[in-house]
Amino acid sequence: LYEHTNKVKVFYINGGEPMLIKEHFKFLERLVERGHTDVTLWYNINMTRMDDRVLDLWSNFSKVKVGASIDDLGDRNHYIRYPTDWDRVVKNLHIVAANDFIELDITQTVSWMNYTTLVTFWNWATELGIPVSHNPVYDPVFMSPDVLPEDLVSAAWNDIDSSAMPDYMKHKLKSYVNPSSQRGELWPQAQSYTLALDALRKQDIKRVMPEFAPYFPVEVDT
């Protein structure tokens, strides 16, 4: 990879989590040592790790873009991106935001688990002055927002329509669920998968996401 850096304008670096990969830091250090820093570093990272070492390295490059992979707020983000610590995520988000040379946004992965809280999340990020972009889940397909029961979709759409989101974003988010091809038949698979994870992790979706309580009547032994 290093041998071809003189031909590269952008390095797009995403998961597995780059901040856990030692070779990632070695690669950046070698680029700095050899003066190959006239490139854009573009990341998707989950904000669980951030330190002076990476900030010092990033400051050498012509442009750094960070897409923070955050899907919901508080315990909900911990549940979706288990076992991330919310306080650490927020602390690291503020650290990155405080460095003017970094172009920061949030890349929110949209699944059925956070489809009903997209507006709340967008409002939170907007208050912080951080733009939000969205990527829908395609695989596994039973995690797509397209599998949600119709009443939850209707509630989410009402929330989106009445929000201050820009129109293009409203249209995009609503397009993630197609009424003519909704995959409601996959909802039982989503339920089974969630209950299996809850049992493994000693969690209960009904406690973290109470809007789903009517759809998960089975109790999880925690």
Short mmCIF file of all heavy atoms in Angstrom, two decimals, residues 61-127:
data_model
loop_
_atom_site.label_atom_id
_atom_site.label_comp_id
_atom_site.label_asym_id
_atom_site.label_seq_id
_atom_site.Cartn_x
_atom_site.Cartn_y
_atom_site.Cartn_z
N PHE A 61 -1.64 16.03 8.08
CA PHE A 61 -2.19 15.76 6.76
C PHE A 61 -3.01 16.95 6.25
O PHE A 61 -3.53 17.76 7.02
CB PHE A 61 -3.03 14.49 6.80
CG PHE A 61 -2.20 13.25 7.01
CD1 PHE A 61 -1.86 12.84 8.29
CD2 PHE A 61 -1.72 12.53 5.93
CE1 PHE A 61 -1.06 11.71 8.49
CE2 PHE A 61 -0.94 11.41 6.11
CZ PHE A 61 -0.59 11.00 7.39
N SER A 62 -3.10 17.02 4.92
CA SER A 62 -3.74 18.18 4.30
C SER A 62 -5.22 18.26 4.64
O SER A 62 -5.79 19.36 4.73
CB SER A 62 -3.55 18.15 2.78
OG SER A 62 -4.07 16.96 2.23
N LYS A 63 -5.88 17.11 4.84
CA LYS A 63 -7.30 17.13 5.20
C LYS A 63 -7.64 15.84 5.94
O LYS A 63 -7.18 14.76 5.57
CB LYS A 63 -8.17 17.25 3.95
CG LYS A 63 -9.65 17.46 4.24
CD LYS A 63 -10.43 17.74 2.95
CE LYS A 63 -11.88 18.01 3.25
NZ LYS A 63 -12.65 18.31 2.00
N VAL A 64 -8.45 15.98 6.99
CA VAL A 64 -8.92 14.81 7.74
C VAL A 64 -10.43 14.92 7.89
O VAL A 64 -10.96 15.93 8.37
CB VAL A 64 -8.27 14.73 9.14
CG1 VAL A 64 -8.81 13.50 9.90
CG2 VAL A 64 -6.76 14.66 9.03
N LYS A 65 -11.13 13.89 7.43
CA LYS A 65 -12.59 13.81 7.57
C LYS A 65 -12.93 12.64 8.50
O LYS A 65 -12.42 11.53 8.30
CB LYS A 65 -13.25 13.61 6.22
CG LYS A 65 -13.02 14.73 5.23
CD LYS A 65 -13.52 14.37 3.83
CE LYS A 65 -15.00 14.10 3.81
NZ LYS A 65 -15.48 13.82 2.44
N VAL A 66 -13.77 12.89 9.48
CA VAL A 66 -14.18 11.83 10.41
C VAL A 66 -15.70 11.71 10.38
O VAL A 66 -16.41 12.66 10.69
CB VAL A 66 -13.70 12.12 11.84
CG1 VAL A 66 -14.30 11.11 12.82
CG2 VAL A 66 -12.18 12.07 11.92
N GLY A 67 -16.16 10.54 10.01
CA GLY A 67 -17.57 10.20 10.12
C GLY A 67 -17.74 9.36 11.37
O GLY A 67 -17.28 8.21 11.42
N ALA A 68 -18.33 9.93 12.41
CA ALA A 68 -18.51 9.22 13.67
C ALA A 68 -19.67 8.24 13.53
O ALA A 68 -20.80 8.64 13.26
CB ALA A 68 -18.77 10.20 14.80
N SER A 69 -19.38 6.97 13.70
CA SER A 69 -20.41 5.93 13.58
C SER A 69 -21.18 5.83 14.89
O SER A 69 -20.79 5.10 15.80
CB SER A 69 -19.78 4.59 13.22
OG SER A 69 -19.16 4.65 11.96
N ILE A 70 -22.26 6.59 14.99
CA ILE A 70 -23.11 6.62 16.19
C ILE A 70 -24.54 6.43 15.71
O ILE A 70 -24.97 7.10 14.77
CB ILE A 70 -22.97 7.95 16.94
CG1 ILE A 70 -21.50 8.26 17.25
CG2 ILE A 70 -23.78 7.93 18.23
CD1 ILE A 70 -21.28 9.64 17.86
N ASP A 71 -25.27 5.54 16.36
CA ASP A 71 -26.59 5.17 15.84
C ASP A 71 -27.76 5.65 16.68
O ASP A 71 -28.89 5.71 16.18
CB ASP A 71 -26.68 3.65 15.68
CG ASP A 71 -25.72 3.14 14.62
OD1 ASP A 71 -25.28 3.95 13.79
OD2 ASP A 71 -25.40 1.94 14.62
N ASP A 72 -27.53 5.97 17.95
CA ASP A 72 -28.62 6.42 18.80
C ASP A 72 -28.02 7.09 20.03
O ASP A 72 -26.80 7.25 20.10
CB ASP A 72 -29.54 5.26 19.18
CG ASP A 72 -31.01 5.68 19.26
OD1 ASP A 72 -31.28 6.78 19.78
OD2 ASP A 72 -31.89 4.92 18.81
N LEU A 73 -28.86 7.43 20.98
CA LEU A 73 -28.40 8.16 22.16
C LEU A 73 -28.35 7.27 23.40
O LEU A 73 -29.21 6.39 23.57
CB LEU A 73 -29.33 9.35 22.43
CG LEU A 73 -29.52 10.36 21.31
CD1 LEU A 73 -30.51 11.44 21.73
CD2 LEU A 73 -28.19 10.98 20.90
N GLY A 74 -27.36 7.52 24.25
CA GLY A 74 -27.30 6.90 25.56
C GLY A 74 -27.32 5.37 25.54
O GLY A 74 -26.58 4.74 24.78
N ASP A 75 -28.20 4.80 26.36
CA ASP A 75 -28.29 3.35 26.48
C ASP A 75 -28.70 2.70 25.16
O ASP A 75 -28.37 1.54 24.91
CB ASP A 75 -29.30 2.96 27.56
CG ASP A 75 -28.80 3.30 28.96
OD1 ASP A 75 -27.58 3.48 29.13
OD2 ASP A 75 -29.62 3.35 29.89
N ARG A 76 -29.40 3.45 24.33
CA ARG A 76 -29.83 2.89 23.05
C ARG A 76 -28.63 2.64 22.14
O ARG A 76 -28.56 1.62 21.44
CB ARG A 76 -30.85 3.81 22.38
CG ARG A 76 -32.13 4.01 23.17
CD ARG A 76 -33.06 4.99 22.48
NE ARG A 76 -33.59 4.38 21.25
CZ ARG A 76 -34.80 3.84 21.15
NH1 ARG A 76 -35.62 3.84 22.18
NH2 ARG A 76 -35.21 3.33 20.01
N ASN A 77 -27.67 3.57 22.14
CA ASN A 77 -26.46 3.36 21.35
C ASN A 77 -25.64 2.20 21.91
O ASN A 77 -25.07 1.40 21.15
CB ASN A 77 -25.61 4.62 21.29
CG ASN A 77 -24.52 4.54 20.24
OD1 ASN A 77 -24.79 4.52 19.05
ND2 ASN A 77 -23.27 4.49 20.68
N HIS A 78 -25.57 2.12 23.23
CA HIS A 78 -24.88 0.99 23.88
C HIS A 78 -25.52 -0.32 23.46
O HIS A 78 -24.81 -1.30 23.20
CB HIS A 78 -24.95 1.15 25.40
CG HIS A 78 -24.46 -0.04 26.15
ND1 HIS A 78 -23.13 -0.34 26.30
CD2 HIS A 78 -25.14 -1.03 26.79
CE1 HIS A 78 -23.00 -1.45 27.00
NE2 HIS A 78 -24.20 -1.89 27.30
N TYR A 79 -26.83 -0.34 23.36
CA TYR A 79 -27.54 -1.57 22.99
C TYR A 79 -27.28 -1.94 21.52
O TYR A 79 -26.96 -3.08 21.21
CB TYR A 79 -29.04 -1.38 23.22
CG TYR A 79 -29.86 -2.62 22.96
CD1 TYR A 79 -30.12 -3.52 23.99
CD2 TYR A 79 -30.38 -2.89 21.70
CE1 TYR A 79 -30.87 -4.67 23.76
CE2 TYR A 79 -31.13 -4.02 21.45
CZ TYR A 79 -31.38 -4.91 22.49
OH TYR A 79 -32.11 -6.06 22.26
N ILE A 80 -27.39 -0.94 20.63
CA ILE A 80 -27.23 -1.22 19.20
C ILE A 80 -25.77 -1.53 18.87
O ILE A 80 -25.49 -2.44 18.09
CB ILE A 80 -27.72 -0.03 18.37
CG1 ILE A 80 -29.23 0.18 18.56
CG2 ILE A 80 -27.40 -0.21 16.89
CD1 ILE A 80 -29.77 1.45 17.92
N ARG A 81 -24.85 -0.76 19.46
CA ARG A 81 -23.42 -0.95 19.19
C ARG A 81 -22.73 -1.50 20.44
O ARG A 81 -21.72 -0.98 20.90
CB ARG A 81 -22.78 0.37 18.75
CG ARG A 81 -23.17 0.77 17.34
CD ARG A 81 -22.40 1.99 16.88
NE ARG A 81 -22.64 2.26 15.47
CZ ARG A 81 -21.89 1.81 14.48
NH1 ARG A 81 -20.82 1.07 14.73
NH2 ARG A 81 -22.18 2.10 13.22
N TYR A 82 -23.31 -2.55 20.95
CA TYR A 82 -22.78 -3.20 22.16
C TYR A 82 -21.31 -3.56 21.97
O TYR A 82 -20.94 -4.06 20.91
CB TYR A 82 -23.61 -4.45 22.44
CG TYR A 82 -23.19 -5.23 23.65
CD1 TYR A 82 -23.69 -4.90 24.91
CD2 TYR A 82 -22.31 -6.30 23.54
CE1 TYR A 82 -23.32 -5.62 26.03
CE2 TYR A 82 -21.93 -7.02 24.65
CZ TYR A 82 -22.43 -6.68 25.89
OH TYR A 82 -22.06 -7.39 27.00
N PRO A 83 -20.44 -3.30 22.97
CA PRO A 83 -20.71 -2.73 24.29
C PRO A 83 -20.18 -1.31 24.45
O PRO A 83 -19.54 -1.00 25.45
CB PRO A 83 -19.96 -3.69 25.19
CG PRO A 83 -18.70 -3.99 24.38
CD PRO A 83 -19.09 -3.91 22.92
N THR A 84 -20.37 -0.45 23.47
CA THR A 84 -19.82 0.90 23.53
C THR A 84 -20.32 1.67 24.75
O THR A 84 -21.49 1.54 25.15
CB THR A 84 -20.17 1.71 22.27
OG1 THR A 84 -21.59 1.74 22.11
CG2 THR A 84 -19.55 1.10 21.03
N ASP A 85 -19.45 2.48 25.33
CA ASP A 85 -19.76 3.29 26.49
C ASP A 85 -20.16 4.69 26.02
O ASP A 85 -19.36 5.38 25.39
CB ASP A 85 -18.55 3.36 27.42
CG ASP A 85 -18.80 4.23 28.63
OD1 ASP A 85 -19.33 3.71 29.62
OD2 ASP A 85 -18.47 5.43 28.57
N TRP A 86 -21.39 5.11 26.32
CA TRP A 86 -21.91 6.36 25.79
C TRP A 86 -21.10 7.57 26.26
O TRP A 86 -20.81 8.47 25.48
CB TRP A 86 -23.37 6.54 26.16
CG TRP A 86 -23.95 7.83 25.68
CD1 TRP A 86 -24.38 8.87 26.43
CD2 TRP A 86 -24.16 8.22 24.31
NE1 TRP A 86 -24.85 9.90 25.63
CE2 TRP A 86 -24.72 9.52 24.33
CE3 TRP A 86 -23.92 7.60 23.08
CZ2 TRP A 86 -25.04 10.21 23.16
CZ3 TRP A 86 -24.23 8.29 21.92
CH2 TRP A 86 -24.79 9.57 21.96
N ASP A 87 -20.75 7.61 27.54
CA ASP A 87 -20.00 8.75 28.05
C ASP A 87 -18.66 8.90 27.33
O ASP A 87 -18.23 10.02 27.03
CB ASP A 87 -19.76 8.61 29.56
CG ASP A 87 -21.04 8.78 30.37
OD1 ASP A 87 -21.99 9.39 29.85
OD2 ASP A 87 -21.08 8.29 31.52
N ARG A 88 -18.03 7.79 27.03
CA ARG A 88 -16.75 7.84 26.31
C ARG A 88 -16.96 8.31 24.88
O ARG A 88 -16.16 9.09 24.34
CB ARG A 88 -16.09 6.46 26.32
CG ARG A 88 -14.74 6.42 25.62
CD ARG A 88 -14.12 5.05 25.71
NE ARG A 88 -13.83 4.70 27.10
CZ ARG A 88 -13.35 3.52 27.48
NH1 ARG A 88 -13.13 2.58 26.58
NH2 ARG A 88 -13.09 3.27 28.74
N VAL A 89 -18.03 7.83 24.25
CA VAL A 89 -18.33 8.24 22.88
C VAL A 89 -18.53 9.76 22.81
O VAL A 89 -17.96 10.44 21.95
CB VAL A 89 -19.59 7.51 22.35
CG1 VAL A 89 -20.10 8.15 21.06
CG2 VAL A 89 -19.29 6.04 22.11
N VAL A 90 -19.31 10.30 23.73
CA VAL A 90 -19.58 11.74 23.73
C VAL A 90 -18.30 12.53 24.02
O VAL A 90 -18.03 13.56 23.39
CB VAL A 90 -20.68 12.08 24.75
CG1 VAL A 90 -20.83 13.60 24.91
CG2 VAL A 90 -22.00 11.46 24.33
N LYS A 91 -17.52 12.05 24.98
CA LYS A 91 -16.26 12.73 25.31
C LYS A 91 -15.35 12.79 24.08
O LYS A 91 -14.78 13.85 23.76
CB LYS A 91 -15.55 11.99 26.44
CG LYS A 91 -14.19 12.57 26.80
CD LYS A 91 -13.51 11.74 27.89
CE LYS A 91 -12.11 12.27 28.19
NZ LYS A 91 -11.44 11.44 29.24
N ASN A 92 -15.21 11.68 23.38
CA ASN A 92 -14.34 11.64 22.21
C ASN A 92 -14.90 12.47 21.06
O ASN A 92 -14.14 13.07 20.28
CB ASN A 92 -14.12 10.19 21.77
CG ASN A 92 -13.24 9.43 22.74
OD1 ASN A 92 -12.44 10.01 23.47
ND2 ASN A 92 -13.38 8.12 22.76
N LEU A 93 -16.22 12.51 20.96
CA LEU A 93 -16.84 13.33 19.92
C LEU A 93 -16.49 14.80 20.14
O LEU A 93 -16.15 15.52 19.19
CB LEU A 93 -18.35 13.13 19.95
CG LEU A 93 -19.15 13.73 18.80
CD1 LEU A 93 -18.84 12.99 17.50
CD2 LEU A 93 -20.65 13.66 19.10
N HIS A 94 -16.53 15.24 21.38
CA HIS A 94 -16.19 16.63 21.69
C HIS A 94 -14.70 16.90 21.45
O HIS A 94 -14.32 18.00 21.03
CB HIS A 94 -16.56 16.96 23.13
CG HIS A 94 -18.03 17.16 23.34
ND1 HIS A 94 -18.73 18.19 22.75
CD2 HIS A 94 -18.94 16.47 24.07
CE1 HIS A 94 -20.00 18.13 23.10
NE2 HIS A 94 -20.16 17.10 23.91
N ILE A 95 -13.85 15.91 21.72
CA ILE A 95 -12.42 16.07 21.47
C ILE A 95 -12.16 16.31 19.99
O ILE A 95 -11.42 17.22 19.60
CB ILE A 95 -11.63 14.84 21.97
CG1 ILE A 95 -11.62 14.80 23.50
CG2 ILE A 95 -10.21 14.84 21.42
CD1 ILE A 95 -11.02 13.52 24.07
N VAL A 96 -12.79 15.50 19.15
CA VAL A 96 -12.61 15.66 17.71
C VAL A 96 -13.19 16.99 17.25
O VAL A 96 -12.57 17.72 16.46
CB VAL A 96 -13.27 14.49 16.96
CG1 VAL A 96 -13.26 14.74 15.45
CG2 VAL A 96 -12.55 13.18 17.27
N ALA A 97 -14.37 17.34 17.75
CA ALA A 97 -15.02 18.59 17.33
C ALA A 97 -14.21 19.81 17.71
O ALA A 97 -14.30 20.86 17.04
CB ALA A 97 -16.42 18.67 17.95
N ALA A 98 -13.39 19.70 18.74
CA ALA A 98 -12.59 20.85 19.21
C ALA A 98 -11.37 21.10 18.33
O ALA A 98 -10.70 22.13 18.49
CB ALA A 98 -12.14 20.62 20.65
N ASN A 99 -11.07 20.20 17.41
CA ASN A 99 -9.92 20.36 16.52
C ASN A 99 -10.40 20.85 15.16
O ASN A 99 -11.00 20.09 14.39
CB ASN A 99 -9.17 19.03 16.38
CG ASN A 99 -8.39 18.68 17.63
OD1 ASN A 99 -7.24 19.06 17.79
ND2 ASN A 99 -9.03 17.94 18.54
N ASP A 100 -10.14 22.11 14.88
CA ASP A 100 -10.69 22.75 13.69
C ASP A 100 -10.20 22.14 12.38
O ASP A 100 -10.84 22.30 11.34
CB ASP A 100 -10.36 24.25 13.70
CG ASP A 100 -11.06 24.99 14.82
OD1 ASP A 100 -12.08 24.47 15.32
OD2 ASP A 100 -10.59 26.08 15.21
N PHE A 101 -9.07 21.46 12.42
CA PHE A 101 -8.54 20.90 11.16
C PHE A 101 -9.26 19.62 10.76
O PHE A 101 -9.02 19.09 9.67
CB PHE A 101 -7.03 20.63 11.29
CG PHE A 101 -6.66 19.51 12.22
CD1 PHE A 101 -6.55 18.21 11.74
CD2 PHE A 101 -6.42 19.75 13.56
CE1 PHE A 101 -6.20 17.17 12.59
CE2 PHE A 101 -6.07 18.73 14.41
CZ PHE A 101 -5.96 17.43 13.93
N ILE A 102 -10.15 19.12 11.62
CA ILE A 102 -10.90 17.90 11.32
C ILE A 102 -12.31 18.26 10.85
O ILE A 102 -13.01 19.03 11.50
CB ILE A 102 -10.99 16.98 12.56
CG1 ILE A 102 -9.60 16.59 13.04
CG2 ILE A 102 -11.81 15.73 12.23
CD1 ILE A 102 -9.60 15.82 14.35
N GLU A 103 -12.70 17.70 9.73
CA GLU A 103 -14.07 17.86 9.22
C GLU A 103 -14.91 16.73 9.79
O GLU A 103 -14.74 15.56 9.43
CB GLU A 103 -14.07 17.82 7.69
CG GLU A 103 -15.43 18.04 7.05
CD GLU A 103 -15.35 17.99 5.55
OE1 GLU A 103 -14.39 18.54 4.98
OE2 GLU A 103 -16.26 17.38 4.92
N LEU A 104 -15.83 17.05 10.69
CA LEU A 104 -16.56 16.05 11.46
C LEU A 104 -18.03 15.99 11.05
O LEU A 104 -18.69 17.02 10.89
CB LEU A 104 -16.47 16.37 12.95
CG LEU A 104 -17.31 15.52 13.92
CD1 LEU A 104 -16.85 14.07 13.93
CD2 LEU A 104 -17.24 16.11 15.33
N ASP A 105 -18.53 14.76 10.87
CA ASP A 105 -19.96 14.55 10.81
C ASP A 105 -20.28 13.23 11.49
O ASP A 105 -19.39 12.53 11.95
CB ASP A 105 -20.49 14.59 9.37
CG ASP A 105 -20.08 13.39 8.53
OD1 ASP A 105 -19.40 12.48 9.05
OD2 ASP A 105 -20.45 13.35 7.35
N ILE A 106 -21.54 12.92 11.58
CA ILE A 106 -21.98 11.65 12.16
C ILE A 106 -22.61 10.82 11.06
O ILE A 106 -23.47 11.31 10.31
CB ILE A 106 -22.99 11.86 13.30
CG1 ILE A 106 -22.32 12.54 14.49
CG2 ILE A 106 -23.61 10.53 13.74
CD1 ILE A 106 -23.27 12.92 15.61
N THR A 107 -22.16 9.59 10.92
CA THR A 107 -22.75 8.66 9.98
C THR A 107 -23.61 7.68 10.77
O THR A 107 -23.09 6.82 11.48
CB THR A 107 -21.67 7.90 9.19
OG1 THR A 107 -20.82 8.84 8.53
CG2 THR A 107 -22.30 6.99 8.16
N GLN A 108 -24.90 7.85 10.68
CA GLN A 108 -25.84 7.03 11.44
C GLN A 108 -26.34 5.87 10.58
O GLN A 108 -26.90 6.08 9.50
CB GLN A 108 -27.03 7.88 11.91
CG GLN A 108 -28.01 7.14 12.81
CD GLN A 108 -29.17 8.02 13.23
OE1 GLN A 108 -29.52 8.99 12.57
NE2 GLN A 108 -29.81 7.67 14.34
N THR A 109 -26.11 4.67 11.06
CA THR A 109 -26.62 3.49 10.38
C THR A 109 -28.06 3.27 10.81
O THR A 109 -28.36 3.16 12.00
CB THR A 109 -25.78 2.25 10.73
OG1 THR A 109 -24.43 2.47 10.32
CG2 THR A 109 -26.32 1.02 10.02
N VAL A 110 -28.96 3.22 9.84
CA VAL A 110 -30.40 3.16 10.14
C VAL A 110 -30.90 1.72 10.04
O VAL A 110 -30.85 1.10 8.97
CB VAL A 110 -31.18 4.06 9.17
CG1 VAL A 110 -32.68 4.00 9.48
CG2 VAL A 110 -30.68 5.49 9.25
N SER A 111 -31.37 1.22 11.16
CA SER A 111 -31.98 -0.11 11.23
C SER A 111 -33.38 0.04 11.82
O SER A 111 -33.81 1.14 12.17
CB SER A 111 -31.14 -1.03 12.10
OG SER A 111 -31.22 -0.63 13.47
N TRP A 112 -34.08 -1.08 11.98
CA TRP A 112 -35.40 -0.98 12.60
C TRP A 112 -35.29 -0.55 14.07
O TRP A 112 -36.22 0.02 14.62
CB TRP A 112 -36.16 -2.30 12.48
CG TRP A 112 -35.57 -3.50 13.16
CD1 TRP A 112 -34.84 -4.49 12.57
CD2 TRP A 112 -35.70 -3.87 14.53
NE1 TRP A 112 -34.49 -5.45 13.50
CE2 TRP A 112 -35.01 -5.09 14.72
CE3 TRP A 112 -36.32 -3.30 15.64
CZ2 TRP A 112 -34.92 -5.74 15.94
CZ3 TRP A 112 -36.24 -3.94 16.87
CH2 TRP A 112 -35.55 -5.15 17.01
N MET A 113 -34.12 -0.77 14.68
CA MET A 113 -33.97 -0.44 16.09
C MET A 113 -33.96 1.06 16.36
O MET A 113 -34.33 1.50 17.45
CB MET A 113 -32.68 -1.07 16.65
CG MET A 113 -32.76 -2.56 16.82
SD MET A 113 -31.28 -3.19 17.65
CE MET A 113 -31.73 -4.94 17.81
N ASN A 114 -33.49 1.86 15.39
CA ASN A 114 -33.44 3.30 15.64
C ASN A 114 -34.30 4.11 14.68
O ASN A 114 -34.25 5.34 14.69
CB ASN A 114 -31.99 3.81 15.60
CG ASN A 114 -31.32 3.61 14.24
OD1 ASN A 114 -31.90 3.07 13.31
ND2 ASN A 114 -30.08 4.05 14.13
N TYR A 115 -35.12 3.43 13.87
CA TYR A 115 -35.94 4.15 12.89
C TYR A 115 -36.95 5.09 13.56
O TYR A 115 -37.29 6.13 13.01
CB TYR A 115 -36.66 3.16 11.98
CG TYR A 115 -37.21 3.78 10.71
CD1 TYR A 115 -36.35 4.24 9.72
CD2 TYR A 115 -38.58 3.92 10.52
CE1 TYR A 115 -36.84 4.81 8.55
CE2 TYR A 115 -39.09 4.49 9.36
CZ TYR A 115 -38.21 4.94 8.37
OH TYR A 115 -38.70 5.51 7.22
N THR A 116 -37.41 4.72 14.74
CA THR A 116 -38.42 5.54 15.41
C THR A 116 -37.82 6.71 16.19
O THR A 116 -38.55 7.55 16.70
CB THR A 116 -39.26 4.68 16.38
OG1 THR A 116 -38.39 4.13 17.39
CG2 THR A 116 -39.95 3.55 15.65
N THR A 117 -36.49 6.77 16.29
CA THR A 117 -35.85 7.85 17.06
C THR A 117 -34.91 8.69 16.21
O THR A 117 -34.06 9.42 16.74
CB THR A 117 -35.07 7.26 18.26
OG1 THR A 117 -34.11 6.31 17.78
CG2 THR A 117 -36.00 6.58 19.24
N LEU A 118 -35.05 8.63 14.90
CA LEU A 118 -34.15 9.36 14.02
C LEU A 118 -34.24 10.87 14.24
O LEU A 118 -33.22 11.57 14.20
CB LEU A 118 -34.47 9.04 12.55
CG LEU A 118 -34.21 7.60 12.09
CD1 LEU A 118 -34.71 7.41 10.66
CD2 LEU A 118 -32.73 7.26 12.20
N VAL A 119 -35.42 11.37 14.48
CA VAL A 119 -35.59 12.81 14.66
C VAL A 119 -34.96 13.27 15.97
O VAL A 119 -34.26 14.30 16.02
CB VAL A 119 -37.08 13.19 14.62
CG1 VAL A 119 -37.27 14.66 14.98
CG2 VAL A 119 -37.66 12.91 13.24
N THR A 120 -35.17 12.51 17.04
CA THR A 120 -34.56 12.84 18.33
C THR A 120 -33.04 12.90 18.20
O THR A 120 -32.39 13.81 18.73
CB THR A 120 -34.96 11.82 19.40
OG1 THR A 120 -36.38 11.80 19.53
CG2 THR A 120 -34.33 12.15 20.74
N PHE A 121 -32.48 11.93 17.50
CA PHE A 121 -31.03 11.88 17.31
C PHE A 121 -30.56 13.06 16.47
O PHE A 121 -29.57 13.73 16.81
CB PHE A 121 -30.64 10.56 16.63
CG PHE A 121 -29.16 10.37 16.49
CD1 PHE A 121 -28.43 9.80 17.51
CD2 PHE A 121 -28.49 10.77 15.34
CE1 PHE A 121 -27.05 9.61 17.39
CE2 PHE A 121 -27.12 10.60 15.21
CZ PHE A 121 -26.40 10.02 16.24
N TRP A 122 -31.28 13.37 15.39
CA TRP A 122 -30.90 14.48 14.53
C TRP A 122 -30.96 15.80 15.28
O TRP A 122 -30.08 16.66 15.13
CB TRP A 122 -31.81 14.52 13.30
CG TRP A 122 -31.46 15.60 12.32
CD1 TRP A 122 -30.52 15.56 11.34
CD2 TRP A 122 -32.07 16.90 12.24
NE1 TRP A 122 -30.49 16.75 10.65
CE2 TRP A 122 -31.44 17.58 11.18
CE3 TRP A 122 -33.08 17.53 12.95
CZ2 TRP A 122 -31.80 18.88 10.82
CZ3 TRP A 122 -33.43 18.83 12.59
CH2 TRP A 122 -32.79 19.48 11.55
N ASN A 123 -31.97 15.98 16.12
CA ASN A 123 -32.08 17.20 16.92
C ASN A 123 -30.88 17.35 17.86
O ASN A 123 -30.33 18.45 18.02
CB ASN A 123 -33.38 17.19 17.74
CG ASN A 123 -34.61 17.41 16.89
OD1 ASN A 123 -34.53 17.97 15.80
ND2 ASN A 123 -35.76 16.97 17.38
N TRP A 124 -30.49 16.25 18.48
CA TRP A 124 -29.33 16.27 19.39
C TRP A 124 -28.06 16.67 18.65
O TRP A 124 -27.31 17.54 19.10
CB TRP A 124 -29.16 14.89 20.02
CG TRP A 124 -27.87 14.67 20.74
CD1 TRP A 124 -27.54 15.10 22.00
CD2 TRP A 124 -26.73 13.96 20.25
NE1 TRP A 124 -26.26 14.71 22.32
CE2 TRP A 124 -25.74 14.01 21.27
CE3 TRP A 124 -26.44 13.29 19.07
CZ2 TRP A 124 -24.49 13.41 21.11
CZ3 TRP A 124 -25.19 12.69 18.91
CH2 TRP A 124 -24.24 12.76 19.93
N ALA A 125 -27.82 16.04 17.50
CA ALA A 125 -26.61 16.35 16.73
C ALA A 125 -26.63 17.78 16.21
O ALA A 125 -25.61 18.47 16.19
CB ALA A 125 -26.46 15.36 15.57
N THR A 126 -27.80 18.23 15.78
CA THR A 126 -27.94 19.59 15.26
C THR A 126 -27.63 20.62 16.34
O THR A 126 -26.99 21.65 16.07
CB THR A 126 -29.35 19.81 14.70
OG1 THR A 126 -29.58 18.87 13.64
CG2 THR A 126 -29.51 21.22 14.15
N GLU A 127 -28.06 20.37 17.55
CA GLU A 127 -27.75 21.27 18.66
C GLU A 127 -26.25 21.36 18.92
O GLU A 127 -25.73 22.40 19.34
CB GLU A 127 -28.48 20.83 19.93
CG GLU A 127 -29.98 21.06 19.89
CD GLU A 127 -30.66 20.63 21.18
OE1 GLU A 127 -29.94 20.24 22.13
OE2 GLU A 127 -31.91 20.67 21.23
#
